[in-house]
Amino acid sequence: MLDALQYQFMQNALLAGLLAAIACGIVGVYVVVKKIVFISGGIAHASFGGIGLGYLLGINPVLGAMAFTIASSLGIGLVTRRTRLPEDTAIGILWAMGMALGIIFIGLAPGYAPDLFSYLFGNILTVPFFDLMLMLILDVVIIVLVALLYKEFLYLSFDEEFSTVSGVPTESLYLLLLCLVALTVVVLIRVVGIILVIALLTIPAALARQFTYSLKKMMLLAISAGVVFTFSGLWISYVLNLASGATIILVSGTVLFLSFGINKLRRRTRGDSHTASTA
Amino acid sequence: MATKELVRMENVWVYNDGIPVLEDINLSIESKDFLGIIGPNGGGKTTLLKVILGLIKPNRGRVTVLGMPPERGRKYIGYISQFNLFDHDFPISVLEVVLMGRYNKSGLFHRYREEDREAAITALKTVDMLGYKDRQVGRLSGGEQQRVFIARALVTNPRLLLLDEPTASIDPNMQAEFYELLDRLKEDMAIVLVSHDISAVSIYVSEIACLNHQLFYHGSKEVSAEELEKAYHCPIQLIAHGTVPHRVLREH
């Protein structure tokens, strides 16, 4: 592994993993505590329409995905807030329509799409320099927005009704939060792919949640967990010659389940000693 | 001291899916009121509070809070919702919850100042919860959580306190303590409390209104059995668990 580090593609891969971990660590915490996992999944899958649009227009598919994903997250946000369509129905429709549009766009595009598979399942080893820079910029945007609006996002997630009464612009903030999810999806597409994005948005945050009740610490822990997951997943995929995106997800999921198990055991032994001392 | 009208509702109608939830509500809340609103579940109690807070716009009629539209007047209202509905695993501390109430005074992008922190500490002292300020709110008992949410409502020094089913998730032995707290607070602000629990409400409040889509209100605690029956559409003995309700009400 160490000699692999001298290769440019490996250094890029590690940088991509780090940038992905930062975005999903911060935004993933909101996705988990505000329980918008399903809507985030819908936004992630709909981004495929943007990939297809990129092919059709002959631009970088990731840029196509960024525009398309932001538009679709604003659309889904407004539809669920302002119409009577149930939220999960709206998400299901957006999810499938985005992917359908992607297929149609790619069909209409001249030639054929050689690296389509890497957008669906990710390939951390082939992230181009331009996409790395884009990921870096999006990470900065996410960090700045969350730093400025930390208490607003906290209140929105905890108690939307009271926030509205206190003068927090909840609807605009909710739409902005969905846009942050969209940006995070774009950051993650190259690393784990559209279909696996939702795992990196939820697993590090779910893991972090077990160890702290401070949202800030939860973000820092989730970022650290994300770094460990992407790096170790990358290493395992390199050594065993497996698909990198899928390996990262399986490593993350396995660690999460182990932590659940360990936590449960710990709680049980603590509970036992407690009853013993009071008896 | 002269009383001041805090809330005025005139001929307010609210429909949900074409079905009236509130029918022709007329209500005036003044600065010294301690009003209990009782009525069955689904009778529109929460809707009434949300109309006062400007969270629900009435289809017809007029609402003012201190002479202003509810969206502007609600900063003078402390609101305590049916709080047991929140996610008990949510990563937020007691102090952070109470500071939420200060948002009005700080606003978008601004950080809290020392005076906001002090106001939060004072509110926590009022409800006797200062020792818990760094604890996770979901890990407290029902009664402790409720006191935290009262502190959050008190932190702006409101003119009016609105409480939605405040006794729903606290133990019966905690209820007396809770009503004593309200008894102290009513010196400084008007209080409106909605509940489906007639007997608990009636002991402490000064006036009672009954709400079942329509509001039956006479500005006193004397509620006749017929009025209760009208509000509840069923024999009241069933609701008051066998006690004759108007006797309970008149005792105080």
Side-chain angles (χ1 to χ4, degrees):
Chain A
M1 180 72 188
L2 277 177
D3 47 300
L5 284 178
Q6 60 190 309
Y7 297 118
Q8 182 67 40
F9 72 90
M10 206 36 135
Q11 291 166 7
N12 283 358
L14 289 176
L15 182 57
L18 176 67
L19 293 172
I22 291 171
C24 71
I26 295 172
V27 177
V29 162
Y30 290 119
V31 169
V32 167
V33 300
K34 180 131 180 74
K35 301 195 166 117
I36 49 170
V37 174
F38 190 44
I39 199 166
S40 306
I43 289 170
H45 282 76
S47 71
F48 188 63
I51 298 285
L53 192 64
Y55 275 114
L56 183 61
L57 299 177
I59 58 169
N60 184 338
V62 173
L63 283 179
M66 187 160 83
F68 191 88
T69 316
I70 286 179
S72 57
S73 55
L74 288 174
I76 191 82
L78 286 171
V79 164
T80 55
R81 287 286 153 135
R82 301 244 177 114
T83 70
R84 303 177 41 82
L85 197 62
E87 187 174 39
D88 51 350
T89 307
I91 294 166
I93 294 167
L94 169 93
W95 185 304
M97 278 188 73
M99 297 213 78
L101 271 175
I103 294 292
I104 298 290
F105 287 151
I106 289 167
L108 290 175
Y112 107 119
D115 48 357
L116 189 60
F117 203 71
S118 81
Y119 290 110
L120 288 175
F121 296 100
N123 190 351
I124 196 171
L125 293 173
T126 60
V127 185
F129 180 75
F130 175 82
D131 292 26
L132 271 180
M133 288 303 107
L134 184 68
M135 290 167 75
L136 180 66
I137 293 167
L138 295 184
D139 268 10
V140 171
V141 170
I142 290 169
I143 291 169
V144 168
L145 282 174
V146 169
L148 282 176
L149 295 166
Y150 178 80
K151 69 179 189 308
E152 283 81 1
F153 280 133
L154 173 67
Y155 298 167
L156 174 81
S157 310
F158 177 62
D159 187 344
E160 199 166 327
E161 188 179 79
F162 189 90
S163 305
T164 308
V165 172
S166 310
V168 180
T170 42
E171 191 182 87
S172 316
L173 276 172
Y174 178 67
L175 293 176
L176 183 61
L177 183 60
L178 293 185
C179 288
L180 288 184
V181 171
L183 295 183
T184 308
V185 167
V186 174
V187 170
L188 294 177
I189 282 179
R190 283 294 191 177
V191 177
V192 289
I194 287 166
I195 294 176
L196 304 179
V197 156
I198 200 63
L200 265 198
L201 266 176
T202 49
I203 295 172
L207 183 73
R209 187 179 194 158
Q210 299 175 75
F211 300 102
T212 176
Y213 63 87
S214 148
L215 204 72
K216 255 179 223 163
K217 285 185 193 148
M218 203 175 145
M219 287 176 181
L220 293 174
L221 269 174
I223 291 172
S224 320
V227 169
V228 172
F229 292 155
T230 48
F231 285 16
S232 55
L234 175 63
W235 176 67
I236 292 171
S237 73
Y238 180 80
V239 171
L240 300 179
N241 196 20
L242 298 168
S244 59
T247 310
I248 291 169
I249 300 305
L250 289 179
V251 167
S252 318
T254 308
V255 172
L256 181 68
F257 283 126
L258 284 177
S259 81
F260 280 157
I262 290 166
N263 245 344
K264 197 159 189 187
L265 276 177
R266 226 176 51 183
R267 223 169 270 160
R268 191 174 299 162
T269 45
R270 218 191 296 153
D272 284 349
S273 63
H274 178 71
T275 40
S277 63
T278 49
Chain B
M1 199 183 90
T3 56
K4 188 173 185 314
E5 189 173 59
L6 300 177
V7 174
R8 184 170 190 83
M9 300 177 81
E10 288 168 48
N11 311 106
V12 168
W13 291 72
V14 174
Y15 294 87
N16 191 1
D17 278 340
I19 299 159
V21 184
L22 295 179
E23 300 175 14
D24 198 27
I25 305 289
N26 288 286
L27 177 66
S28 163
I29 301 165
E30 298 191 334
S31 55
K32 288 282 169 189
D33 284 352
F34 187 178
L35 172 67
I37 300 177
I38 54 178
N41 290 326
K45 300 189 297 294
T46 301
T47 306
L48 182 77
L49 295 189
K50 288 189 177 175
V51 168
I52 296 174
L53 288 163
L55 292 170
I56 294 176
K57 296 233 178 312
N59 299 77
R60 265 194 277 160
R62 211 174 92 107
V63 187
T64 53
V65 177
L66 284 146
M68 293 176 269
E71 291 84 356
R72 283 204 289 135
R74 66 186 170 202
K75 58 170 168 269
Y76 300 103
I77 301 178
Y79 175 48
I80 296 152
S81 60
Q82 292 187 41
F83 61 89
N84 51 335
L85 305 173
F86 76 96
D87 173 10
H88 287 231
D89 277 329
F90 197 96
I92 189 167
S93 73
V94 167
L95 187 64
E96 283 175 311
V97 170
V98 177
L99 275 172
M100 271 183 94
R102 292 293 289 189
Y103 185 79
N104 264 325
K105 314 242 165 183
S106 87
L108 207 61
F109 299 123
H110 289 277
R111 290 179 173 277
Y112 288 117
R113 289 172 307 240
E114 198 46 44
E115 58 184 276
D116 298 312
R117 202 161 285 274
E118 273 162 23
I121 300 282
T122 310
L124 279 171
K125 267 187 201 149
T126 309
V127 297
D128 217 7
M129 286 295 290
L130 187 56
Y132 295 78
K133 74 177 168 59
D134 296 319
R135 297 269 294 272
Q136 185 182 6
V137 85
R139 293 281 170 266
L140 303 177
S141 75
E144 290 163 345
Q145 283 172 10
Q146 186 183 44
R147 281 189 277 163
V148 172
F149 288 101
I150 293 175
R152 179 174 75 170
L154 292 178
V155 77
T156 46
N157 303 315
R159 307 282 298 273
L160 168 67
L161 204 56
L162 299 181
L163 299 107
D164 193 354
E165 296 283 359
T167 53
S169 54
I170 53 174
D171 305 333
N173 56 337
M174 295 287 293
Q175 289 192 12
E177 205 178 298
F178 162 72
Y179 282 110
E180 277 154 29
L181 174 62
L182 290 190
D183 217 45
R184 275 188 280 138
L185 294 175
K186 77 171 187 211
E187 302 300 319
D188 302 314
M189 63 198 76
I191 299 175
V192 175
L193 185 155
V194 309
S195 178
H196 66 277
D197 184 357
I198 303 173
S199 48
V201 170
S202 59
I203 302 169
Y204 295 91
V205 300
S206 332
E207 302 102 36
I208 285 189
C210 304
L211 180 69
N212 190 4
H213 308 301
Q214 290 164 300
L215 190 71
F216 304 91
Y217 177 51
H218 297 285
S220 80
K221 268 167 86 165
E222 307 289 313
V223 180
S224 72
E226 301 89 78
E227 275 169 347
L228 275 177
E229 282 202 29
K230 232 177 15 188
Y232 276 84
H233 293 307
C234 60
I236 33 183
Q237 279 82 356
L238 285 176
I239 295 143
H241 305 291
T243 327
V244 183
H246 63 266
R247 204 190 66 212
V248 175
L249 295 169
R250 282 214 181 99
E251 260 178 3
H252 297 272

